[in-house]
Amino acid sequence: MSAIQYEKNADGIVILTMDSPNQSANTMNADFQKALTETVEKFKADSGVTGVIFRSAKKTFFAGGDLDDLIQARPEDAKEFMAIVELMKKELRYIETLGVPVVAALNGTALGGGWEIALGCHARIALNDPKSKFGLPEVTLGLLPGGGGIVRMVRLLGLQNAFPFLMEGKQFGVDKAKSLGLIHDTADSIDELMEKSIAWIKSNPKSQQPFDVKGYKIPGGDPKTPAVAQILAIAPAMLRDKTKGCYPAPEAIMAAAVEGAQVDVDTALTIESRYFTYLATGQVAKNMIGTFWHGLNAIKAGASRPKDVAKWQATKVGVLGAGMMGAGIAYSTASKGIAVVLKDVSVENAEKGKAYSQKLLDKKVSQGRMTAEKRDQILSLITATADAADLKGCDLIIEAVFENQELKAKVTQEAEAFLADGGVFASNTSTLPITGLAKASKDDKNFIGLHFFSPVDKMPLVEIIKGQNTSAETLAKAYDYVQQIGKTPIVVNDSRGFFTSRVFGTFVNEGLRLLAEGVHPARIEMAALKAGMPVGPLAIQDEVALTLSEHVTNETRKALQAEGKDLPHSPAEDVLKTMIHEFGRKGKAAGSGFYDYPEGGKKHLWDGLSHWKKDVDISEQEMIDRILFVQSLDTLRCYEENVLESVVDANIGSIFGIGFAPWTGGAIQFLNQYGLEKALLRANTLEAKYGERFKAPQLLKDKVANGKID
């Protein structure tokens, strides 16, 4: 069966029904490309065509490019790759310029290549479905819209208005598309959608694209227009400041848009194809597609979930501790329609935790993103209490109290008495081993770690930690709950600091070590940003609180010494000790840390950091390598030690949990894309210069011949 069915009605209108065989969604794969070529041949042989309608036989209109194909494209394939892209665009352009009206009947979501097909039509009529999404999200995968999306969006909206949709990948619904003039009409049923599409063709027999009409001007002006030229003079510098040079896609999009706006449509389409080929055959797109598409989809499909356990849903969740973490967990849970009991030592404290949800929901109401009725409904699901008996019937209880083993044991035993039969007890610890905490439980097979990240309402990841005796059923239920509240689960085995806290510590400590070595703090922060980290190590240490890091280090050392081991002393510890005990600077919450936080002003690095200033000669690239390698090598150690069980969890967890540079595709993919042989040599050099933390794990040496860690 062809991916495009060609059917002409009695009025001479050709209905092209897109239906990719053996797929739940239409994509621009080889089947589609072959069918498109055949369709164009049919048009060339058919002289009685009066109009064209693109429609879909799937639940959605069209999903976009075939990422399985795209990830295979190599630099040496560039010529052939571009020829395929250009052919497909020429064929779509042929239909667009047939001289008859062309309509897209959008029965659902059209993203990427799907939206580009729609843009190639003279009119777009959409089913009135609030779930439908339109747009060009390619930039989020390191690509650009290569099927004419840049050329047509710029010509329809103007450069300035098109940029957010192109360079940020902003998606939009039916109403927004109508207000932008990108959707021309809506229908309430599939039948009405087709009726309106046919009626539009009959009413506009001589239709063509507005930008194909002679004398058409791009809204807002082309790049030579003074107002646009003024913006474009500073736009590349502003973009570079944002991307720090790590992401080639937004820069390529800007270049293709501006260059394309100065030439005719067909030349602009070729310019777009060249930039698309450059990105698609490059490494950054492969890193990002591998992790943000294939990796996330694997996790969504339950890659690390026990397969033989039935799906489960939490119905009533207890949260112990109404501080920042507990309040955030309560909000995230209630927002998904699940009843929550938020318990603290006093009703006042619990109410304060519930007020956090009220604040977030009030903000949504004031922005018009939620009704007052929906807000009240969510708030009614949260019971603030100081009475443990209110936990009765909870099928999941999450402990989110201070990082102290004795306190956690006490609240576990008090709350567990009210847990429903077969219920799960979870700890939101970020560092304490789960097996040790589970000793306080009456049944350690039902005990698990659920490590949320702060702020919970914004951070998408939850690290699930299996204790030594955690059952497969408990793990499956924890995984299902994390997905139930719309977050991304990764699964790790028990150890001190698990995966994310442990590796996050290496990043912060490397920044503190650089400071101790005498490097200017502004250079340290900038090197981290240029590596692709979202914030510098000194800024993030302030957020975490210097006192908390000191406490965790002391507790870790005590615990290791009790096991007959020790934690080697680090120059990073000396920096923290001096900051806290000599300078009285404890972090952002305390009002001062590595940064000053003037009231009403912008934070800035504290002048007193000159205390560590020395004459040191280190290049920016050396610092970038130290920041990325110290994290990726420790991530690989976690995988080698079976703390991590999969590369997917390692890559997703490193990006969403600790902010590891997204352009790399994650901490292990960073080594893969660097080239394992080169990475081993670099690690050896760094170890010789800076010490054992850069020692290459045996697994890296073993995988060099294979060329990939998987």
Side-chain angles (χ1 to χ4, degrees):
M1 189 180 79
S2 173
I4 303 172
Q5 286 138 43
Y6 185 106
E7 180 195 340
K8 191 159 93 171
N9 70 11
D11 296 315
I13 296 168
V14 172
I15 297 162
L16 299 176
T17 304
M18 298 180 291
D19 191 4
S20 291
N22 311 315
Q23 290 188 180
S24 60
N26 293 310
T27 60
M28 284 180 171
N29 58 11
D31 288 335
F32 175 80
Q33 289 161 17
K34 181 171 174 279
L36 184 62
T37 301
E38 289 165 0
T39 300
V40 167
E41 291 308 313
K42 285 175 186 168
F43 276 126
K44 285 177 179 173
D46 194 340
S47 56
V49 176
T50 59
V52 181
I53 297 172
F54 278 93
R55 61 174 288 190
S56 167
K58 310 290 188 189
K59 282 183 185 170
T60 57
F61 180 72
F62 203 101
D66 190 311
L67 294 168
D68 292 337
D69 286 350
L70 278 171
I71 204 167
Q72 308 295 333
R74 300 164 303 172
E76 53 267 38
D77 305 325
K79 201 172 175 183
E80 187 189 339
F81 181 88
M82 179 155 164
I84 293 166
V85 173
E86 280 284 87
L87 175 64
M88 187 160 55
K89 286 163 83 167
K90 278 191 173 72
E91 288 169 344
L92 288 168
R93 181 75 177 140
Y94 176 84
I95 298 169
E96 184 180 30
T97 56
L98 261 178
V100 298
V102 184
V103 179
L106 301 163
N107 64 313
T109 292
L111 293 171
W115 183 242
E116 289 177 301
I117 289 170
L119 288 172
C121 299
H122 309 160
R124 288 163 289 283
I125 301 171
L127 198 61
N128 223 337
D129 183 351
K131 289 188 186 139
S132 288
K133 286 274 174 273
F134 310 120
L136 301 164
E138 286 88 343
V139 70
T140 61
L141 296 174
L143 295 166
L144 60 70
I150 294 175
V151 176
R152 293 184 179 95
M153 285 289 271
V154 165
R155 276 163 171 74
L156 293 171
L157 298 179
L159 277 161
Q160 214 176 336
N161 289 337
F163 276 163
F165 301 109
L166 299 171
M167 291 198 291
E168 296 167 34
K170 278 190 177 172
Q171 295 177 23
F172 44 93
V174 175
D175 291 343
K176 178 70 174 172
K178 272 180 82 176
S179 72
L180 290 164
L182 296 173
I183 294 286
H184 303 90
D185 199 358
T186 56
D188 293 322
S189 69
I190 295 290
D191 287 345
E192 190 187 7
L193 184 64
M194 290 308 293
E195 284 163 18
K196 284 194 168 187
S197 298
I198 289 167
W200 195 92
I201 286 171
K202 289 180 175 176
S203 305
N204 299 274
K206 294 277 182 238
S207 169
Q208 64 183 133
Q209 286 281 29
F211 48 76
D212 283 328
V213 176
K214 204 173 176 191
Y216 179 78
K217 286 188 167 42
I218 292 173
D222 66 22
K224 295 190 287 293
T225 308
V228 178
Q230 204 174 352
I231 291 159
L232 293 179
I234 56 166
M238 287 170 71
L239 183 60
R240 177 54 71 114
D241 184 53
K242 211 171 171 183
T243 66
K244 299 293 184 288
C246 293
Y247 300 92
E251 295 182 9
I253 289 168
M254 183 179 280
V258 174
E259 290 169 29
Q262 299 174 75
V263 294
D264 63 273
V265 173
D266 294 309
T267 307
L269 288 167
T270 300
I271 289 169
E272 179 190 86
S273 298
R274 284 192 187 124
Y275 280 110
F276 180 60
T277 302
Y278 156 68
L279 293 174
T281 57
Q283 188 58 51
V284 173
K286 288 171 181 36
N287 298 342
M288 295 177 78
I289 292 168
T291 298
F292 296 116
W293 181 255
H294 293 113
L296 274 177
N297 283 343
I299 286 175
K300 279 178 195 160
S304 298
R305 182 191 187 278
K307 302 285 177 278
D308 50 356
V309 181
K311 283 293 269 186
W312 180 82
Q313 282 204 323
T315 56
K316 184 180 178 185
V317 175
V319 180
L320 312 180
M324 197 171 153
M325 294 304 290
I329 296 166
Y331 167 80
S332 296
T333 305
S335 291
K336 296 297 179 184
I338 307 166
V340 178
V341 178
L342 183 58
K343 183 195 174 297
D344 210 301
V345 290
S346 69
V347 173
E348 293 75 34
N349 281 4
E351 286 291 355
K352 208 190 285 182
K354 182 174 178 176
Y356 178 77
S357 289
Q358 173 101 40
K359 188 178 92 178
L360 292 175
L361 294 166
D362 283 347
K363 190 177 176 185
K364 283 191 174 183
V365 172
S366 71
Q367 292 169 336
R369 290 162 56 215
M370 181 180 277
T371 63
E373 188 185 40
K374 179 71 177 164
R375 172 199 61 200
D376 297 344
Q377 186 194 337
I378 292 169
L379 285 171
S380 72
L381 289 168
I382 303 174
T383 303
T385 185
D387 185 356
D390 288 334
L391 296 164
K392 191 169 173 58
C394 285
D395 42 19
L396 169 64
I397 296 176
I398 303 167
E399 163 277 298
V401 300
F402 188 67
E403 289 287 89
N404 176 287
Q405 190 131 354
E406 291 72 32
L407 175 63
K408 286 180 183 289
K410 184 175 165 242
V411 300
T412 300
Q413 286 161 353
E414 180 192 38
E416 232 179 15
F418 302 100
L419 188 63
D421 286 346
V424 172
F425 197 97
S427 173
N428 175 51
T429 180
S430 57
T431 54
L432 299 172
I434 290 299
T435 306
L437 293 176
K439 286 177 183 163
S441 170
K442 63 182 182 200
D443 191 350
D444 61 0
K445 73 176 187 299
N446 295 335
F447 196 99
I448 200 161
L450 283 179
H451 175 206
F452 288 81
F453 296 79
S454 182
V456 178
D457 57 288
K458 289 197 179 83
M459 296 295 275
L461 192 80
V462 178
E463 185 178 28
I464 302 175
I465 306 107
K466 295 185 285 179
Q468 211 172 333
N469 299 322
T470 301
S471 71
E473 288 77 13
T474 298
L475 171 59
K477 286 176 179 178
Y479 201 99
D480 292 342
Y481 162 71
V482 172
Q483 291 194 310
Q484 194 181 347
I485 62 169
K487 296 201 180 288
T488 301
I490 62 162
V491 178
V492 304
N493 285 306
D494 195 19
S495 74
R496 187 160 290 276
F498 320 127
F499 160 49
T500 55
S501 296
R502 167 176 160 177
V503 176
F504 173 74
T506 66
F507 166 54
V508 175
N509 283 344
E510 203 58 35
L512 299 181
R513 282 173 181 271
L514 284 162
L515 184 67
E517 288 166 27
V519 180
H520 193 290
R523 286 192 72 211
I524 299 167
E525 299 291 79
M526 184 50 75
L529 295 174
K530 285 193 173 178
M533 302 299 293
V535 283
L538 306 180
I540 202 77
Q541 178 64 83
D542 269 7
E543 295 284 342
V544 170
L546 283 68
T547 43
L548 178 62
S549 294
E550 185 183 51
H551 171 76
V552 168
T553 301
N554 292 340
E555 289 296 306
T556 303
R557 183 166 281 121
K558 258 197 298 191
L560 287 170
Q561 285 169 347
E563 295 168 19
K565 303 171 193 165
D566 203 2
L567 182 69
H569 189 82
S570 147
E573 286 181 63
D574 295 332
V575 171
L576 288 179
K577 193 175 168 186
T578 304
M579 287 289 287
I580 297 165
H581 303 290
E582 200 175 311
F583 299 139
R585 300 179 71 89
K586 298 174 182 178
K588 186 181 177 181
S592 68
F594 292 100
Y595 284 77
D596 278 326
Y597 300 91
E599 211 164 317
K602 204 177 169 193
K603 74 175 185 183
H604 56 83
L605 284 159
W606 177 49
D607 293 344
L609 297 181
S610 59
H611 171 83
W612 284 279
K613 190 181 175 189
K614 294 188 196 94
D615 193 12
V616 58
D617 181 24
I618 184 169
S619 71
E620 185 170 71
Q621 189 57 52
E622 182 90 348
M623 290 192 281
I624 288 170
D625 283 1
R626 282 174 62 174
I627 286 162
L628 294 175
F629 270 90
V630 78
Q631 295 177 80
S632 58
L633 292 170
D634 203 43
T635 299
L636 191 55
R637 274 181 219 110
C638 287
Y639 187 39
E640 189 176 65
E641 294 162 15
N642 204 35
V643 174
L644 282 161
E645 292 182 346
S646 84
V647 170
V648 167
D649 281 355
N651 287 329
I652 293 286
S654 64
I655 292 171
F656 290 126
I658 57 180
F660 191 81
W663 68 267
T664 65
I668 288 182
Q669 178 56 21
F670 167 71
L671 296 170
N672 281 332
Q673 61 92 46
Y674 196 91
L676 296 189
E677 198 169 348
K678 271 174 66 189
L680 178 58
L681 286 169
R682 189 71 182 116
N684 291 343
T685 304
L686 290 167
E687 184 196 2
K689 211 167 173 183
Y690 302 109
E692 204 171 338
R693 65 190 182 280
F694 292 103
K695 187 179 175 67
Q698 187 58 43
L699 189 58
L700 177 57
K701 298 171 186 173
D702 294 345
K703 292 285 185 180
V704 166
N706 185 21
K708 192 177 182 191
I709 300 159
D710 49 21

